Amino acid sequence: AALNDGLRSQVSAALKEGRVAPTELCQRCLALIKSTKFLNAYITVAEETALKQAEESEERYKRGQPLGILDGIPIAVKDNFNTAGIETTCASNMLKGYISPYNATVVQKLLDQGAVLLGKTNLDEFAMGSGSTDGVFGPVRNPWSYSKQYKEKSVPKSHSEDEESNWVITGGSSGGSAAAVSSFTCFAALGSDTGGSTRNPAAHCGVVGLKPTYGLISRHGLIPLVNSMDVPGILTRCVDDAAVLLGSLAGHDPKDSTTIQDDFKPFELPNLTDVSKLSIGIPKEYHAPELSSEILALWSKAADLFKNAGAKVVEVSLPHTPYSIVCYHVLCTAEVASNMARFDGLEYGHRSDVKDSTESMYAATRREGFNDVVRGRILSGNYFLLKQNYEKYFVKAQKVRRLIANDFVKVFRSGVDILLTPTTLSDAAPYTEFIQEDNRTRSAQDDILTQAANMAGLPAISVPTALSERGLPVGLQFIGRSFQEKQLLTVAKWFEKQVQFPVIQLEEVKRHDSDVFQHQKSASFS
Amino acid sequence: VAARGCGGVWRRARQRGAGQPGPGPSPFPRGQRAVACNAKGGAVPAGKSGLAPWVPVVGLEIHAQISSNSKLFSGSQVQFAAPPNSLVSFFDASLPGTLPVLNRRCVEAAVMTGLALNCSINKKSLFDRKHYFYADLPAGYQITQQRVPIAVNGSLSYSLCIDNKMSQMVTKTVRIKQIQLEQDSGKSLHDDTRSQTLVDLNRAGVGLMEVVMEPDMCCGEEAAAAVRELQLILQTLGSSQAVMAEGQLRVDANVSVHHPGEPYGVRTEVKNINSIRFLAKAIDYEIQRQIEELENGGTILNETRAFDSKLGCTVPMRDKEGKQDYRFMPEPNLPPLILYDAKSLPANMNHQQVINIDWIHERLPDLPSVKRKKLVEQYGILPEHSFTLLNEDGLAEFFESVVKETQMKPKKVIGWILKDLLSYLKQHSLTVKESPVSSFLLADLLNLLEKKEISSTAAKQVLAELWKGEVKTPLEIVKEQKLELLQDQKELEQICQAVIDGHENEVIMMVLG
């Protein structure tokens, strides 16, 4: 039995049977967080509160009254979700030291179900980026950079240079959460997904990344990037775990008027044996020119997998996909400009010492508080919202967004159940290479395969599929119908089982943690 | 295009300082009394003969604070004069990650108001963000309804008297362009000596109804009468307490002047008006200012001006210089506001979750105009008296309970109510509720008069005693002061005989002629 096999079947069972105690689990994770500090996955580690929560959980297990599957499970939360009493920074100078007085609904739900909150994970400043390289606390390193698989295949340079220049990015903006799950420092993590911010790092870090349907999970307490596209994301080691997390988070929230009115019924995923009734759509527009041949090959291999198993695999067209990026750029920056207006240094966050006038204080506060990426988006967004530009840009972009959403509606109406696409154009780039391009160019490129799902509000999941020639993870994406998460996850689970994605072999970590990880060693670090 | 509902045109010859506020119950003084601020000083020179007359055009934007327990998008309480920042939720302070949740009561208040103002209620309305940086606007934007407001295309009828004569009332109508729901801002208190600004967010996020009136008025008095009528309607509905002094009703006036047959002139917006009386003054001053400016060859700037109630004039507002671009954007955190009527109401919908326009319509209370009509019909009083009755909070009810308790005809009762009660209350700055004489006591007194037990003069004497607030009935006062009219013939003869007997000489003189 391996911890990798899932929360429901393994970890929860182990806790219930007393084979492992919540405090023990928590301490292992905390130790591992320390030994993987170089990954820079966490901004804040809430050691004290985590241990307290674990003790409380332990009491419940002793009384035989655990709160559910998540009781005692160590989790991590992206640092753009409000956590009462624990710093929430958005990786920005603007919110450095900011302690929120309240919990985001998703955080509260996890705590209410006994989960142990280990800490807050790193990201691009205010989730604006696709590399997790542009936060004030520095870039996140992809755990796979230190894996046996990558080291064996990457071109060996001089030995000392190796580690420092060869490490690859996690993708982003939820790179901290993806790295945290991938390096076994937690069992699941929350990310956020506006244009691919959960799925992209999930793909690069070899974990499952789920972006649920817009409105299925409350955004209350998630510091917004683009309100009309933001969705709390779920990062786990397997599809089953994603379903567990979804079940614990989804449903109406009176504090978020955009959530569904109904309650959500958690589900367990069946083991699909027959896919012959399934129709898988392959959108031809996702065959982007920038798509690496390696990923293209994996994509068609995956399509063949379905075909060979008896599923119907059809090529479909989402004709407005090419306009998605430009459209996204306008809508995203406009909302960013608006959402960031509240950071004026008055009520909370950074306040500049410049005191010449209220206006100069605002200006200095915002100049000092935001990085270039954030300021650049605010500038473009305000430009698009100007009276003389509003129709030309914002309204037009909204119309294009509607066309993009309609593309999906048509495809699904034609009988397609699930769309299969790549999640990323290539495997993770080395940091040194990644930063050659600016954030905007990178985001525009990297979001290309993921953000249409946000535009349409559809559920999508990235499932780790295989290792690239360089020994780095590659994920493929499934996009489902609105609120049809069960179908989407069921198919993803079947796929996951077929591809048998390899477990990361973290020699480095293993060496540091040979003692604390005896339990996991055989399973996780084989 | 002549302004609708506008009776007259203004000529420059109109004299400054001529109008004196009449002694009548009308709170709206006529004429210009803003000489003090006239830059040129002194009286306006006589106009050139043959000069085309001016048509002033006045439109109003009125912000009425919704009377509700909690704010428009948060659960914080709404309360006037609470300790600073004691009524602030995380959302009101714009803490990151907080979201707006629409208050049902505020929507109902806006629907009621819309229906009372003959508006069509939009079954689907939208919320927008209006951006500007200001210390008392913590989110950096206000949530309002710019594109599709909750109510549109209404009208408001109001009456005013001509030449200050209550007997000559005319009824006019102003079109209501729209009513929109929006958030109030907080308050900034500037401490100039310490050069700091203190911000109080108690008011931030309180629900407002912005009522936009079309430019159908032509002078301060019309605007004042329209606002007064709106105020009465809001108070009757309970949708706003609409007390101007407490900022629950704020009026901005858009003023321009033009020659008949020509397009409207450039308009100015006059703000900072905190009473109905000042509204009339501010508008009339602004009209006169614009006419003088134009006749002296100047131009009118499209600007915001503040009314200075001490100086009685309008002055340009500095902080609004430079055009603002509010960068309107749909509020993404609020779905469209959907309202239903009996026809569109889905059968399986939870009634807590929907607002039914028809249901609200059926439960609207009698509006002031209906109440007045009923008073006139039921009691045979003059229409202008019905206005006075409704103008004072509780006066109509007072009148009605007096009528109920007395045999005196309502037509006669109204005289006592308006001439005696009301003028006494006004003199002593009392509200009807604070009156030392209850409706029962007044009815008692009027009954004595009606039964001819006392004379009208004696009744006034008794009333004067009653004002003192002593715990005596009118009858007791009459007895104490021997104010009864004599009903006994013999007693009267005896008194007369006694007088005659006591004045023998005078009697003889009279007999002798």
Side-chain angles (χ1 to χ4, degrees):
Chain A
L3 287 178
N4 210 31
D5 281 353
L7 292 172
R8 190 186 294 275
S9 56
Q10 298 303 322
V11 191
S12 178
L15 283 165
K16 249 187 233 167
E17 289 158 21
R19 279 184 279 127
V20 62
T23 47
E24 194 187 347
L25 214 51
C26 178
Q27 270 157 350
R28 275 197 227 161
C29 288
L30 288 169
L32 206 47
I33 289 172
K34 273 179 201 147
S35 64
T36 57
K37 207 168 181 294
F38 60 91
L39 294 176
N40 205 15
Y42 289 79
I43 291 173
T44 304
V45 181
E47 188 166 346
E48 226 170 276
T49 52
L51 283 169
K52 202 168 150 268
Q53 287 159 2
E55 278 162 24
E56 286 164 7
S57 168
E58 202 154 312
E59 284 304 310
R60 287 191 292 270
Y61 276 104
K62 276 181 191 162
R63 287 199 307 270
Q65 293 168 326
L67 296 169
I69 300 171
L70 288 182
D71 203 341
I73 303 292
I75 46 118
V77 171
K78 190 178 180 179
D79 207 17
N80 56 353
F81 287 95
N82 282 279
T83 45
I86 301 170
E87 220 176 299
T88 300
T89 70
C90 283
S92 173
N93 273 326
M94 191 56 95
L95 285 179
K96 229 187 218 175
Y98 174 69
I99 295 181
S100 169
Y102 74 99
N103 278 325
T105 296
V106 285
V107 172
Q108 192 59 52
K109 282 192 171 187
L110 289 174
L111 294 177
D112 287 347
Q113 290 168 79
V116 174
L117 174 58
L118 294 170
K120 306 294 288 292
T121 58
N122 206 347
L123 65 157
D124 290 299
E125 183 161 334
F126 282 100
M128 294 180 209
S130 59
S132 301
T133 52
D134 283 331
V136 74
F137 300 103
V140 186
R141 298 179 180 214
N142 192 325
W144 286 84
S145 317
Y146 306 94
S147 70
K148 200 175 149 204
Q149 290 102 323
Y150 177 63
K151 282 183 178 167
E152 275 171 2
K153 291 190 177 168
S154 59
V155 189
K157 294 183 183 172
S158 78
H159 206 73
S160 60
E161 203 183 35
D162 198 17
E163 299 239 320
E164 251 338 281
S165 64
N166 258 4
W167 65 269
V168 298
I169 59 149
T170 54
S173 63
S174 312
S177 290
V181 174
S182 162
S183 60
F184 303 102
T185 62
C186 64
F187 286 83
L190 293 185
S192 61
D193 195 312
T194 311
S197 278
T198 291
R199 289 159 286 158
N200 175 288
H204 285 321
C205 293
V207 298
V208 171
L210 170 65
K211 169 226 170 300
T213 308
Y214 183 83
L216 186 59
I217 299 190
S218 169
R219 293 180 294 115
H220 170 254
L222 164 62
I223 297 178
L225 174 59
V226 185
N227 304 278
S228 63
M229 297 185 210
D230 289 343
V231 186
I234 294 167
L235 295 117
T236 53
R237 296 180 195 163
C238 63
V239 178
D240 267 330
D241 287 1
V244 169
L245 266 284
L246 183 71
S248 69
L249 299 174
H252 176 68
D253 179 9
K255 290 174 180 157
D256 177 357
S257 312
T258 63
T259 50
I260 45 157
Q261 285 303 310
D262 308 318
D263 286 333
F264 178 82
K265 278 198 195 103
F267 49 76
E268 267 185 66
L269 295 176
N271 280 311
L272 210 56
T273 47
D274 178 19
V275 293
S276 65
K277 289 192 186 71
L278 210 59
S279 173
I280 302 286
I282 309 289
K284 61 179 182 190
E285 288 80 8
Y286 281 62
H287 190 162
E290 303 89 349
L291 193 66
S292 74
S293 53
E294 197 177 13
I295 293 209
L296 179 61
L298 279 170
W299 184 19
S300 38
K301 214 173 140 192
D304 290 343
L305 191 66
F306 278 99
K307 206 186 286 173
N308 296 338
K312 196 173 148 197
V313 176
V314 287
E315 188 186 79
V316 295
S317 174
L318 300 164
H320 295 94
T321 304
Y323 312 108
S324 185
I325 276 294
V326 201
C327 172
Y328 175 81
H329 180 68
V330 173
L331 296 175
C332 169
T333 56
E335 282 200 36
V336 163
S338 176
N339 288 333
M340 295 295 146
R342 69 189 57 213
F343 297 101
D344 57 12
L346 287 187
E347 276 81 15
Y348 42 80
H350 175 69
R351 184 191 292 182
S352 169
D353 291 331
V354 174
K355 285 178 186 149
D356 302 343
S357 69
T358 311
E359 285 72 24
S360 59
M361 188 275 285
Y362 286 160
T365 295
R366 292 165 70 78
R367 188 176 58 244
E368 294 160 12
F370 295 138
N371 69 6
D372 287 351
V373 177
V374 179
R375 290 214 308 280
R377 291 202 192 180
I378 292 172
L379 186 68
S380 350
N382 277 323
Y383 176 80
F384 296 136
L385 288 177
L386 285 178
K387 206 173 173 188
Q388 81 244 29
N389 296 334
Y390 184 75
E391 287 286 326
K392 220 168 17 175
Y393 294 100
F394 191 83
V395 173
K396 197 175 271 181
Q398 276 186 314
K399 286 178 184 163
V400 175
R401 180 179 183 178
R402 175 58 55 121
L403 293 173
I404 291 166
N406 285 345
D407 280 355
F408 285 101
V409 172
K410 278 179 202 156
V411 163
F412 286 126
R413 206 176 278 157
S414 75
V416 166
D417 298 305
I418 304 274
L419 296 170
L420 171 63
T421 81
T423 310
T424 57
L425 294 168
S426 63
D427 60 1
Y431 177 71
T432 46
E433 191 183 302
F434 185 82
I435 57 169
Q436 296 304 308
E437 300 260 33
D438 66 23
N439 178 293
R440 213 192 119 206
T441 315
R442 275 293 179 190
S443 300
Q445 281 172 2
D446 296 337
D447 287 350
I448 197 159
L449 302 167
T450 45
Q451 38 93 339
N454 297 81
M455 297 268 229
L458 299 171
I461 188 170
S462 178
V463 181
T465 304
L467 292 185
S468 66
E469 283 158 18
R470 293 191 297 155
L472 291 173
V474 171
L476 290 178
Q477 175 179 238
F478 296 90
I479 304 173
R481 293 190 175 106
S482 256
F483 299 107
Q484 298 302 312
E485 269 78 2
K486 189 171 180 185
Q487 185 187 38
L488 176 72
L489 292 178
T490 304
V491 171
K493 184 180 172 180
W494 179 86
F495 180 75
E496 178 186 49
K497 203 175 169 192
Q498 308 304 308
V499 295
Q500 288 292 316
F501 181 75
V503 172
I504 185 171
Q505 294 173 34
L506 281 175
E507 295 298 326
E508 204 79 17
V509 176
K510 197 174 152 189
R511 199 165 61 230
H512 288 277
D513 293 279
S514 51
D515 298 335
V516 282
F517 259 81
Q518 273 170 5
H519 275 271
Q520 289 192 339
K521 200 160 63 176
S522 60
S524 309
F525 307 133
S526 59
Chain B
V1 187
R4 276 173 50 160
C6 182
V9 288
W10 284 38
R11 287 180 193 276
R12 191 184 179 190
R14 205 178 151 165
Q15 245 183 317
R16 274 177 169 267
Q20 289 301 319
S26 165
F28 321 128
R30 277 183 75 86
Q32 305 296 303
R33 299 195 291 132
V35 185
C37 201
N38 182 1
K40 285 163 242 65
V44 179
K48 296 163 212 158
S49 58
L51 205 72
W54 291 99
V55 185
V57 173
V58 179
L60 300 175
E61 283 172 25
I62 300 157
H63 288 90
Q65 214 174 63
I66 297 171
S67 169
S68 61
N69 295 328
S70 56
K71 296 183 179 180
L72 182 55
F73 297 119
S74 80
S76 341
Q77 251 190 294
V78 177
Q79 198 187 310
F80 182 68
N85 293 313
S86 62
L87 308 174
V88 186
S89 69
F90 300 152
F91 175 78
D92 303 329
S94 80
L95 295 199
T98 53
L99 298 169
V101 178
L102 184 57
N103 180 345
R104 181 192 172 96
R105 155 70 192 161
C106 293
V107 178
E108 287 171 342
V111 171
M112 281 170 87
T113 307
L115 290 170
L117 296 177
N118 309 301
C119 292
S120 17
I121 307 296
N122 278 324
K123 298 236 181 77
K124 177 184 175 182
S125 60
L126 304 170
F127 290 97
D128 304 281
R129 291 178 177 183
K130 175 182 178 178
H131 299 88
Y132 60 97
F133 281 110
Y134 206 76
D136 53 29
L137 186 78
Y141 56 82
Q142 175 199 35
I143 303 178
T144 178
Q145 294 195 300
Q146 192 236 357
R147 290 166 299 161
V148 188
I150 189 162
V152 292
N153 300 332
S155 65
L156 169 71
S157 291
Y158 61 96
S159 298
L160 71 165
C161 40
I162 294 170
D163 295 332
N164 220 11
K165 285 180 197 143
M166 279 304 276
S167 55
Q168 291 183 11
M169 297 202 76
V170 288
T171 300
K172 300 195 169 192
T173 301
V174 53
R175 289 168 299 155
I176 307 290
K177 185 174 179 237
Q178 64 184 57
I179 300 174
Q180 62 199 50
L181 279 167
E182 60 184 37
Q183 295 174 297
D184 209 340
S185 63
K187 279 183 187 163
S188 298
L189 304 160
H190 302 288
D191 180 347
D192 287 334
T193 47
R194 275 185 250 175
S195 82
Q196 59 180 11
T197 299
L198 302 169
V199 179
D200 177 8
L201 295 181
N202 281 351
R203 205 182 64 178
V206 171
L208 293 178
M209 295 177 281
E210 183 177 335
V211 180
V212 183
M213 291 187 185
E214 297 280 12
D216 295 345
M217 291 153 287
C218 70
C219 63
E221 203 178 340
E222 283 190 6
V227 169
R228 178 62 185 138
E229 187 66 12
L230 175 68
Q231 191 178 34
L232 282 174
I233 290 173
L234 295 173
Q235 287 168 346
T236 304
L237 297 173
S239 59
S240 171
Q241 287 170 298
V243 179
M244 278 185 93
E246 291 184 7
Q248 289 148 349
L249 195 70
R250 279 163 267 166
V251 184
D252 300 337
N254 290 310
V255 178
S256 69
V257 298
H258 65 281
H259 291 304
E262 287 177 12
Y264 283 3
V266 175
R267 66 176 199 200
T268 60
E269 187 179 12
V270 185
K271 285 182 179 274
N272 215 18
I273 304 168
N274 52 22
S275 78
I276 289 185
R277 201 162 65 86
F278 288 149
L279 171 67
K281 277 181 80 174
I283 290 171
D284 286 342
Y285 173 87
E286 183 59 18
I287 290 170
Q288 197 64 27
R289 186 192 70 82
Q290 291 189 9
I291 292 174
E292 274 170 32
E293 188 69 42
L294 291 168
E295 294 208 339
N296 289 326
T299 49
I300 303 301
L301 300 174
N302 182 270
E303 63 181 353
T304 305
R305 299 176 69 87
F307 180 66
D308 186 322
S309 58
K310 281 187 194 128
L311 299 175
C313 65
T314 66
V315 287
M317 276 174 86
R318 265 184 228 133
D319 61 342
K320 285 272 182 168
E321 269 171 355
K323 273 256 169 197
Q324 290 240 30
D325 189 321
Y326 292 118
R327 289 157 286 130
F328 284 101
M329 188 191 88
E331 166 56 65
N333 295 320
L334 289 167
L337 170 55
I338 306 291
L339 304 174
Y340 298 89
D341 58 17
K343 266 189 229 158
S344 64
L345 194 69
N348 56 349
M349 202 73 129
N350 180 352
H351 284 264
Q352 290 296 310
Q353 283 175 3
V354 297
I355 290 177
N356 182 342
I357 301 167
D358 291 334
W359 194 90
I360 293 175
H361 205 170
E362 285 159 20
R363 281 157 187 80
L364 282 187
D366 276 350
L367 295 179
S369 56
V370 176
K371 268 197 207 165
R372 288 189 199 106
K373 216 174 139 210
K374 282 189 179 171
L375 286 170
V376 170
E377 281 169 7
Q378 197 173 341
Y379 302 112
I381 61 173
L382 294 170
E384 57 262 36
H385 289 159
S386 71
F387 274 89
T388 318
L389 282 182
L390 258 75
N391 250 335
E392 295 302 320
D393 190 26
L395 192 61
E397 290 75 13
F398 193 101
F399 166 72
E400 290 196 276
S401 56
V402 174
V403 167
K404 217 179 275 171
E405 300 291 326
T406 170
Q407 292 84 40
M408 189 184 267
K409 282 193 173 153
K411 268 183 172 176
K412 276 170 82 184
V413 174
I414 191 78
W416 285 88
I417 297 283
L418 299 185
K419 284 208 193 82
D420 297 278
L421 175 77
L422 190 58
S423 52
Y424 177 86
L425 294 177
K426 284 259 159 91
Q427 248 173 42
H428 296 83
S429 307
L430 294 173
T431 63
V432 176
K433 275 190 193 119
E434 292 165 340
S435 167
V437 178
S438 69
S439 58
F440 298 106
L441 283 180
L442 185 60
D444 270 1
L445 177 65
L446 297 185
N447 278 336
L448 292 177
L449 182 63
E450 191 64 16
K451 284 187 252 164
K452 299 213 164 60
E453 286 178 23
I454 53 170
S455 69
S456 162
T457 321
K460 305 241 159 162
Q461 260 177 279
V462 175
L463 191 55
E465 286 298 310
L466 287 174
W467 288 136
K468 293 174 188 163
E470 287 180 56
V471 203
K472 284 177 190 162
T473 65
L475 192 60
E476 284 166 349
I477 298 173
V478 168
K479 289 239 166 97
E480 253 178 47
Q481 305 205 0
K482 296 199 190 338
L483 296 168
E484 306 99 322
L485 282 178
L486 293 180
Q487 312 275 346
D488 187 329
Q489 182 82 21
K490 272 187 185 164
E491 199 187 341
L492 188 62
E493 279 173 14
Q494 275 171 10
I495 291 171
C496 291
Q497 195 57 56
V499 173
I500 293 170
D501 292 350
H503 299 81
E504 228 166 273
N505 289 337
E506 284 85 349
V507 173
I508 291 166
M509 294 294 282
M510 276 175 71
V511 172
L512 291 174

